């Protein structure tokens, strides 16, 4: 069965500093991988996704993620964060055979300090 | 394009009372999801519809929860009777169901059971 582990429940960083949010997955087959963001009192919004092809995926708001099959990871990065990036970030995984069903991680709260 | 609409946004009820949540998905989206999100956790799937058919309801507590999606468009999720542990955010999402597709989330209904 597939699962997702987000190692950090909270990540505090200073404004304009780089950030990396870690995500590891477990699956016995090929996977689709996603990062969603949830701003306060809102639903989730897709940042980026990996389906196939290039392992470096670029998303909205300057975020990118790299799929590493050998390490079963899909870490999210941004070179310079802004106050507006303060939110909860969720990594998620699905399998092509049941692609409409995705499993979410427990989330990482990114807090930006001025 | 209108997003996923949910109502109400907030609901406070006493335990043992019934409660219902409504969701209107994005037009043309065949797949509809109901998720439960506890504080500090990622969304957990309760039920997934493909058009009118519930194709995955394995995580729905059927002794007290029920859902319907009449005419394959709007959906209602009901809890009867509510328990204290049901306090959470209930998210609705929709997608095209084409595999690896983006799920579009509504803002959620925050339920507090007293």
């Amino acid at each position: 069965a597939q699962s997702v582990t987000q190692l950090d429940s909270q990540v505090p960083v200073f404004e304009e500093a780089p950030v990396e949010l870690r995500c590891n997955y477990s699956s016995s087959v090929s996977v689709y991988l996603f990062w969603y963001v949830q701003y306060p009192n809102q639903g989730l919004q897709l940042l980026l996704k990996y389906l196939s092809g290039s392992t470096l995926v670029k998303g909205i708001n300057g975020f990118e993620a790299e799929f590493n099959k050998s390490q079963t990871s899909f870490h999210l990065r941004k070179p310079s964060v802004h106050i507006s990036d303060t939110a909860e970030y969720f990594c998620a995984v699905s399998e092509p055979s049941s692609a409409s069903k995705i499993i979410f991680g427990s989330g990482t709260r990114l807090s930006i300090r001025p | 394009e209108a997003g996923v609409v949910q109502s109400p946004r907030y609901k406070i009820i006493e335990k043992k009372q019934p409660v219902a949540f409504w969701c209107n998905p994005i037009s043309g989206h065949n797949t509809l999801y109901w998720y439960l999100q506890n504080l500090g956790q990622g969304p957990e799937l309760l039920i997934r519809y493909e058009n009118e058919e519930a194709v995955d309801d394995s995580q729905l507590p059927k002794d007290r929860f029920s859902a319907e999606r009449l005419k394959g468009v709007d959906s209602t999720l009901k809890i009867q009777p509510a328990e204290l542990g049901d306090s959470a955010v209930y998210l609705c999402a929709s997608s095209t169901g084409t595999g690896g597709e983006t799920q579009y989330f509504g803002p959620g209904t925050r339920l507090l059971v007293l």
Side-chain angles (χ1 to χ4, degrees), chain B:
Chain B
E1 176 182 86
V4 176
V5 179
Q6 290 188 249
S7 69
R9 290 293 312 275
Y10 305 92
K11 189 74 176 179
I12 301 175
I13 61 172
E14 294 188 347
K15 63 181 181 181
K16 300 185 181 179
Q17 294 300 306
V19 64
F21 314 124
W22 175 80
C23 174
N24 178 244
I26 291 174
S27 177
H29 281 189
N30 299 325
T31 306
L32 183 146
Y33 314 75
W34 282 103
Y35 288 94
L36 167 70
Q37 186 178 24
N38 286 305
L39 188 64
Q41 298 295 317
E44 299 171 28
L45 182 69
L46 288 172
I47 188 168
R48 174 166 61 99
Y49 283 94
E50 296 287 346
N51 298 305
E52 298 179 353
E53 182 182 0
V55 297
D56 186 352
D57 63 356
S58 58
Q59 301 303 309
L60 189 72
K62 298 181 183 62
D63 57 335
R64 298 184 301 108
F65 286 66
S66 64
E68 61 182 8
R69 191 185 184 195
L70 300 178
K71 300 181 181 179
V73 182
D74 295 1
S75 179
T76 302
L77 178 69
K78 298 178 181 178
I79 309 175
Q80 183 171 9
E83 298 179 351
L84 296 177
D86 296 331
S87 295
V89 176
Y90 292 83
L91 294 167
C92 179
S94 69
S95 73
T96 57
T98 54
E101 74 276 17
T102 300
Q103 292 189 19
Y104 294 85
F105 285 79
T109 296
R110 186 176 298 273
L111 174 67
L112 178 60
V113 182
L114 302 176

Side-chain angles (χ1 to χ4, degrees), chain A residues 30-100:
Chain A
S30 61
V31 294
Y32 295 151
L33 293 159
F34 308 81
W35 276 99
Y36 281 82
V37 60
Q38 185 175 33
Y39 298 104
N41 297 317
Q42 295 185 29
L44 281 72
Q45 175 185 356
L46 182 72
L47 272 179
L48 49 80
K49 62 183 176 182
Y50 170 80
L51 303 183
S52 65
S54 173
T55 57
L56 183 62
V57 181
K58 294 188 182 298
I60 63 172
N61 301 339
F63 284 93
E64 64 180 29
E66 186 159 18
F67 170 56
N68 188 319
K69 187 174 182 179
S70 63
Q71 296 188 9
T72 60
S73 68
F74 191 55
H75 300 333
L76 181 70
R77 297 190 291 260
K78 186 171 183 178
S80 176
V81 297
H82 303 285
I83 292 289
S84 59
D85 293 323
T86 297
E88 189 93 19
Y89 292 79
F90 294 95
C91 183
V93 63
S94 72
E95 296 179 355
S97 60
S98 58
S100 289

